[in-house]
């Protein structure tokens, strides 16, 4: 099992990525995506989880696991087609145990890249302090990106990703400072590209 710790990422980042792989393996997924990273974040707990659950009591590890297992985010699309989720045959169990190891989905890579860019912009503008190493806070911001599957699952659960993001930003912001607005778009800088390169190098199977 890789440790996911590099000179760029801290131990909290690595612990979440290991937990995310564990969740993906538990769900017998061949790759891990943003939904498994969200489960990894919730499984480890901490101040952000406590504050998010306080704002949304139904936002727990158990409820998110159920949402992932039942493809809750797909239900509105099926209903528009007049199809019940009960009518969709379950995928056959893969043969043998699956370990996602270093493999991740394209949607997760995209969400992580987007969040990295936006966080870097806030740090360059001095609206948020720079971290010595990239922490698990970046993973929180990535799973809350609008295009991430984890974000869509939360919306299907009636959990507002924007409000959860405010919890994360409040945790990052200095005490007493105003809450910065999360950028809608941003261009990647050198540091962001280095972070993305390091993550890809340790997470993509050769």
């Amino acid at each position: 099992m890789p440790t996911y710790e590099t000179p760029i990422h801290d131990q909290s980042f690595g612990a979440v990525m290991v937990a995310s792989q564990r969740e993906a393996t538990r769900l017998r997924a061949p790759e891990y995506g943003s939904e498994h990273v969200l489960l990894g974040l919730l499984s480890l707990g901490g101040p952000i989880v406590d504050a998010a659950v306080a704002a949304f009591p139904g936002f727990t590890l158990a409820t998110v696991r159920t949402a992932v297992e039942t493809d809750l985010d797909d239900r509105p699309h099926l209903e528009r087609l007049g199809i019940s989720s009960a009518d969709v045959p379950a995928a056959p169990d893969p043969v043998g145990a699956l370990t996602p190891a270093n493999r991740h989905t394209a949607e997760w890579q995209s969400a992580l890249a987007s969040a990295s860019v936006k966080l870097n912009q806030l740090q360059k503008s001095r609206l948020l302090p720079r971290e010595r190493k990239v922490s698990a806070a970046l993973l929180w911001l990535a799973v809350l990106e609008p295009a991430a599957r984890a974000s869509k699952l939360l919306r299907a659960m009636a959990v507002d990703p924007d409000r959860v993001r405010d919890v994360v930003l409040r945790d990052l912001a200095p005490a007493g400072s105003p809450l910065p607005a999360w950028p809608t778009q941003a261009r990647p800088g050198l540091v962001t590209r280095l972070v993305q390169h390091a993550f890809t190098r340790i997470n993509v199977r050769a």
Side-chain angles (χ1 to χ4, degrees), residues 119-173:
L119 177 59
N120 186 57
Q121 178 173 306
L122 292 181
Q123 292 171 334
K124 286 180 66 176
S125 302
R126 299 187 178 181
L127 296 173
L128 289 177
R130 286 196 178 277
E131 299 176 302
R132 292 182 59 188
K133 291 187 176 183
V134 180
S135 73
L138 173 60
L139 301 177
W140 268 111
L141 295 169
V143 300
L144 297 168
E145 280 294 277
R149 188 191 175 202
S151 182
K152 297 173 183 176
L153 280 164
L154 291 181
R155 287 194 290 271
M157 296 171 59
V159 174
D160 185 353
D162 293 335
R163 285 184 59 190
V164 178
R165 185 186 301 111
D166 286 347
V167 170
V168 180
L169 295 176
R170 175 55 61 204
D171 186 74
L172 291 173

Side-chain angles (χ1 to χ4, degrees), residues 49-197:
V49 173
D50 293 343
V53 171
F56 297 97
F59 179 28
T60 66
L61 177 61
T63 58
V64 175
R65 275 180 178 159
T66 299
V68 173
E69 291 170 339
T70 60
D71 295 321
L72 186 63
D73 52 324
D74 284 338
R75 288 187 186 177
H77 308 294
L78 294 174
E79 289 171 358
R80 282 197 293 270
L81 296 172
I83 302 172
S84 168
S85 57
D87 298 331
V88 180
D93 283 340
V95 177
L98 288 172
T99 302
N102 299 339
R103 298 174 59 190
H104 60 270
T105 62
E107 68 86 27
W108 168 242
Q109 182 70 35
S110 176
L112 182 64
S114 177
S116 299
V117 170
K118 295 173 182 178
L119 177 59
N120 186 57
Q121 178 173 306
L122 292 181
Q123 292 171 334
K124 286 180 66 176
S125 302
R126 299 187 178 181
L127 296 173
L128 289 177
R130 286 196 178 277
E131 299 176 302
R132 292 182 59 188
K133 291 187 176 183
V134 180
S135 73
L138 173 60
L139 301 177
W140 268 111
L141 295 169
V143 300
L144 297 168
E145 280 294 277
R149 188 191 175 202
S151 182
K152 297 173 183 176
L153 280 164
L154 291 181
R155 287 194 290 271
M157 296 171 59
V159 174
D160 185 353
D162 293 335
R163 285 184 59 190
V164 178
R165 185 186 301 111
D166 286 347
V167 170
V168 180
L169 295 176
R170 175 55 61 204
D171 186 74
L172 291 173
S177 64
L179 193 67
W182 187 242
T184 55
Q185 291 183 334
R187 296 181 62 184
L190 175 60
V191 173
T192 302
R193 292 197 298 271
L194 287 172
V195 170
Q196 295 170 8
H197 173 73

